Amino acid sequence: MQVPILRALALTAVGNAALSGRDVAGFYPNDPIFRFSASLDFMTPRDAGALRHVAQGATDWFDKLKKRHCRGLRLHNAPMQQNKKLGHIDERLLVGMVGGGPRWLIEAVYGDHSELWEGFDRVGDQKAADKKIWLSAYILIGEAASAESVDTNIKGASIDLRDALLNIEPVARAIPGAGFADIFVAARETLEGKDLPYPLEFLRFAKMKPEAERLLKAAGRAWVFGAMGSWNDVGVDAALKPRYESASKVLFDALARAVLVSANSTYRR
């Protein structure tokens, strides 16, 4: 799973724990998802397109949200902005590129409205000795009425993912030398209760239900979409192509739902 997606999920889940009073001081910048992050800033727009810095680091942002009586955080995704000149491109094909794939938005819920925050990344010092080259920021992109509810159906999302994995496994086995079928089997077994060591250290700070953790770990294992060497990069003959495309879309949609449900299951209000 790409770091920006995992980071948005972690900020949502750990943020909800922090807002409920849990000590999450060890989350930032120690979690592996920040291994290559030189900075993590939170900014709001000012006049003439300028930005105002409001928090530095996740813990500072959580503290600021709490002081403003934020009720909790929820995760959403929005369609990728398509380039009209290039024509439509499936989101799964660009998810491994910087800025590609669905947009992942964090909703900060207040009494009478919500704020929407979106993450952006740019390269800083490419020669940094500690390899922390990414300058990351979440920017307040707007306010809106709070959604009445979000999808927190862990069982439904788990069934969707299981069915998608069963659907795509025979497709993977029909591609010589691809090696993805075993990945799909391992992910399905995780949903069924088999323990899968998956390094999600932020979970020790988040108050996530065991069944939501299983869903998230299975999704992480099954997330085969990326750039070179990924499921997107395999060669498929013409006869298999329709099944490959259909199964890939179903799996990508199920994985996106799994991310949202696991994150939003930590929203308690």
Side-chain angles (χ1 to χ4, degrees):
M1 190 179 299
Q2 285 75 30
V3 170
I5 301 173
L6 199 57
R7 184 183 62 208
L9 188 160
L11 286 171
T12 301
V14 177
N16 281 328
L19 291 171
S20 70
R22 189 165 187 169
D23 181 6
V24 300
F27 169 60
Y28 179 84
N30 302 322
D31 193 277
I33 60 176
F34 304 114
R35 182 180 295 117
F36 302 112
S37 298
S39 61
L40 178 65
D41 296 310
F42 295 83
M43 313 179 83
T44 57
R46 299 177 67 178
D47 294 337
L51 294 172
R52 180 171 67 92
H53 185 275
V54 296
Q56 183 174 10
T59 305
D60 187 24
W61 188 52
F62 298 154
D63 289 343
K64 298 285 177 59
L65 292 175
K66 194 170 186 177
K67 289 177 181 178
R68 296 176 54 221
H69 306 291
C70 177
R71 292 184 174 183
L73 302 174
R74 302 191 292 200
L75 187 63
H76 303 268
N77 63 7
M80 177 181 71
Q81 293 180 337
Q82 299 279 348
N83 187 323
K84 294 182 180 180
K85 293 182 179 180
L86 297 177
H88 178 81
I89 302 176
D90 287 346
E91 292 178 328
R92 69 174 178 86
L93 297 176
L94 294 181
V95 73
M97 311 299 179
V98 176
R103 299 167 62 196
W104 297 88
L105 310 177
I106 300 177
E107 176 193 8
V109 182
Y110 295 89
D112 58 352
H113 73 287
S114 288
E115 297 174 342
L116 293 176
W117 297 77
E118 184 171 6
F120 298 89
D121 299 283
R122 60 189 177 91
V123 176
D125 181 4
Q126 298 185 54
K127 298 180 180 179
D130 58 4
K131 298 183 180 180
K132 291 182 177 293
I133 66 171
W134 290 102
L135 306 176
S136 303
Y138 277 80
I139 297 174
L140 176 64
I141 62 170
E143 296 185 356
S146 301
E148 291 187 6
S149 63
V150 291
D151 186 2
T152 58
N153 186 349
I154 299 170
K155 183 177 180 180
S158 298
I159 291 172
D160 276 359
L161 182 53
R162 180 203 64 194
D163 290 349
L165 291 167
L166 287 170
N167 182 49
I168 203 169
E169 182 189 335
V171 178
R173 296 197 184 282
I175 303 174
F180 287 95
D182 290 344
I183 292 175
F184 299 140
V185 170
R188 179 163 47 83
E189 289 177 342
T190 301
L191 283 174
E192 294 168 353
K194 183 177 180 179
D195 185 43
L196 173 68
Y198 192 73
L200 294 174
E201 292 188 16
F202 71 83
L203 288 176
R204 63 191 177 100
F205 298 104
K207 294 181 178 180
M208 192 174 288
K209 298 176 182 177
E211 57 269 34
E213 287 193 12
R214 282 198 302 272
L215 174 62
L216 177 55
K217 288 180 179 180
R221 189 71 180 93
W223 196 284
V224 294
F225 302 102
M228 291 182 62
S230 75
W231 177 256
N232 289 337
D233 196 39
V234 299
V236 182
D237 62 41
L240 188 61
K241 190 73 171 177
R243 286 179 62 199
Y244 167 83
E245 294 291 347
S246 174
S248 297
K249 183 182 185 310
V250 170
L251 178 60
F252 189 75
D253 290 346
L255 291 173
R257 185 187 182 192
V259 170
L260 294 173
V261 168
S262 59
N264 291 331
S265 69
T266 66
Y267 180 80
R268 304 301 188 204
R269 300 184 183 182

